[in-house]
């Protein structure tokens, strides 16, 4: 029996997911994301909400929505680079359509909440969820709650600058970022950055999985680039420790699935420790690709009670 649902918004697909009482997935449906206008986007999103309600036979099914971007807690206006919602109030627009509210949250925050509640971060008092995919983002859950936010930009660590010493040691240039700044962490440590680093080093392009596979055959360039990238990811982990000092950092996103990555990153982070301090546990998201949706569904159920 379906008791809640969630919608995972992405630049290419809108995925609806229905959950049962054990938070197991009952059914999912993916549709293409309309990216031309906000109205078309809302129509696509609304169709997925209606589909979930039909599947459950409940027009009031609690449904949370994971947004790949920022929602200003004061104005409720969204900012996102991959979906046409910037400057719009998604929540108010949906309320006008459906006559009820849907909890909206940043997808990385939703990952942290999901993993803190019955996931890899269960039992830890402070959990950072870090998504390493096409881009990089992070969210925070403390004592099982999302902490209060002022601008919604908390832990947007992908747009912190990569430390100068790390760039200088590798001889890396300041690469421009989609946010308008240069030298953002995301440009060097996202999953997509593996290909960028390889091209910078060799002049030829390969994607992350190809580089990983080549490194396993002993290829010197691929191995060097993989080690460099892991070190740059560890710089991000250290920045998270210095900013938040979480008990654990749970990794999500496509690149987090690389075999052996969690162990390697734990070692790289240990090499960067300040003094004798301990370090956060590095863990892999237990609920995989659907963890963010699971987190928003949990939040929607809580709101409904
Ligand atoms: Zn940036």
């Amino acid at each position: 029996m379906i008791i809640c649902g969630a919608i995972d918004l992405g630049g290419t697909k809108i995925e609806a997911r229905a959950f049962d009482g054990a938070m197991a997935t009952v059914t999912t449906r993916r549709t293409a994301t309309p990216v031309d206008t906000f109205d078309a986007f809302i129509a696509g999103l609304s169709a997925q909400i209606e589909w979930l309600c039909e599947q459950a036979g409940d027009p009031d099914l609690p449904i949370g929505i994971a947004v790949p971007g920022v929602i200003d807690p004061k104005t409720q206006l969204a900012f996102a680079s991959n979906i046409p919602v910037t400057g719009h109030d998604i929540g108010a627009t949906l309320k006008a359509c459906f006559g009820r509210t849907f909890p909206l949250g940043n997808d990385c925050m939703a990952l942290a909440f999901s993993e803190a509640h019955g996931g890899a971060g269960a039992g830890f008092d402070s959990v950072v969820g870090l998504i390493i995919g096409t881009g990089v983002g992070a969210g925070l859950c403390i004592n099982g709650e999302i902490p209060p936010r002022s601008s919604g930009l908390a832990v947007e660590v992908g747009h912190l600058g990569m430390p100068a010493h790390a760039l200088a040691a590798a001889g890396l240039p300041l690469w421009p970022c989609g946010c308008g700044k240069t030298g953002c962490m995301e440009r060097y440590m996202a999953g997509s950055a593996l290909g960028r680093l390889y091209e910078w080093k060799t002049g030829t392009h390969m994607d992350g999985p190809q580089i990983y596979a080549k490194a396993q055959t002993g290829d010197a360039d691929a191995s060097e680039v993989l080690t460099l990238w892991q070190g740059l990811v560890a710089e991000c982990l250290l920045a998270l420790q210095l900013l938040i000092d979480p008990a654990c950092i749970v990794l999500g996103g496509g690149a987090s699935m690389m075999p052996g990555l969690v162990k390697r990153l734990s070692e790289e982070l240990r090499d960067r420790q300040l003094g004798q301090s301990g370090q956060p546990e590095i863990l892999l998201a237990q609920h995989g690709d659907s963890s963010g949706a699971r987190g928003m569904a949990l939040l929607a159920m809580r709101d409904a009670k």
Side-chain angles (χ1 to χ4, degrees):
M1 185 182 140
I2 295 169
I3 64 154
C4 59
I7 303 219
D8 197 2
L9 297 174
T12 55
K13 49 91 187 151
I14 298 178
E15 184 171 271
R17 185 176 291 268
F19 295 92
D20 67 14
M23 294 308 291
T25 298
V26 177
T27 180
T28 65
R29 185 175 84 160
R30 282 184 172 200
T31 54
T33 307
V35 291
D36 289 340
T37 64
F38 178 67
D39 287 349
F41 170 80
I42 288 293
L45 171 56
S46 298
Q48 288 290 67
I49 291 173
E50 284 161 8
W51 179 79
L52 277 175
C53 292
E54 277 165 25
Q55 297 302 305
D58 177 4
D60 297 317
L61 183 73
I63 298 171
I65 300 170
V67 183
V70 176
I71 294 176
D72 188 310
K74 296 191 184 93
T75 65
Q76 302 301 316
L77 299 181
F79 171 81
S81 49
N82 295 327
I83 53 174
V85 297
T86 297
H88 292 280
D89 186 335
I90 304 168
T93 308
L94 291 176
K95 190 171 184 195
C97 297
F98 290 92
R100 65 179 176 117
T101 55
F102 300 90
L104 290 146
N106 170 267
D107 52 0
C108 304
M109 182 206 78
L111 169 70
F113 189 83
S114 168
E115 294 296 327
H117 292 267
F124 292 89
D125 57 7
S126 50
V127 178
V128 162
L130 176 66
I131 294 182
I132 310 174
T134 313
V136 169
L140 180 60
C141 187
I142 293 181
N143 293 329
E145 301 290 336
I146 307 291
R149 285 149 296 157
S150 177
S151 64
L153 285 170
V155 226
E156 278 292 335
V157 71
H159 301 284
L160 278 180
M162 182 57 77
H165 65 80
L167 295 180
L172 278 162
L174 284 173
W175 279 326
C177 178
C179 75
K181 297 195 298 166
T182 57
C184 289
M185 286 207 172
E186 182 170 287
R187 304 304 288 166
Y188 304 90
M189 48 125 341
S192 53
L194 254 176
R196 190 172 301 113
L197 290 166
Y198 189 83
E199 193 164 348
W200 164 76
K201 177 153 181 61
T202 66
T204 54
H205 185 77
M206 274 202 289
D207 64 19
Q210 289 172 315
I211 294 162
Y212 176 81
K214 216 167 168 205
Q216 301 317 299
T217 69
D219 180 87
D221 283 341
S223 298
E224 202 177 310
V225 165
L226 193 60
T227 301
L228 171 61
W229 177 79
Q230 287 162 343
L232 295 168
V233 177
E235 291 292 340
C236 179
L237 301 178
L238 178 61
L240 284 166
Q241 184 182 12
L242 295 174
L243 286 167
I244 296 162
D245 195 17
C248 69
I249 299 175
V250 181
L251 306 180
S256 71
M257 311 303 271
M258 186 184 288
L261 184 64
V262 164
K263 182 168 176 287
R264 280 297 298 136
L265 290 180
S266 299
E267 292 163 357
E268 292 280 350
L269 180 57
R270 196 168 306 131
D271 292 345
R272 288 166 171 77
Q273 281 309 297
L274 297 189
Q276 301 299 308
S277 62
Q279 64 182 65
E281 289 244 22
I282 311 300
L283 303 164
L284 200 57
Q286 195 174 312
H287 299 287
D289 278 353
S290 61
S291 199
R294 181 180 174 276
M296 286 316 303
L298 288 171
L299 282 163
M301 270 211 303
R302 204 168 67 164
D303 276 13
K305 276 175 188 157

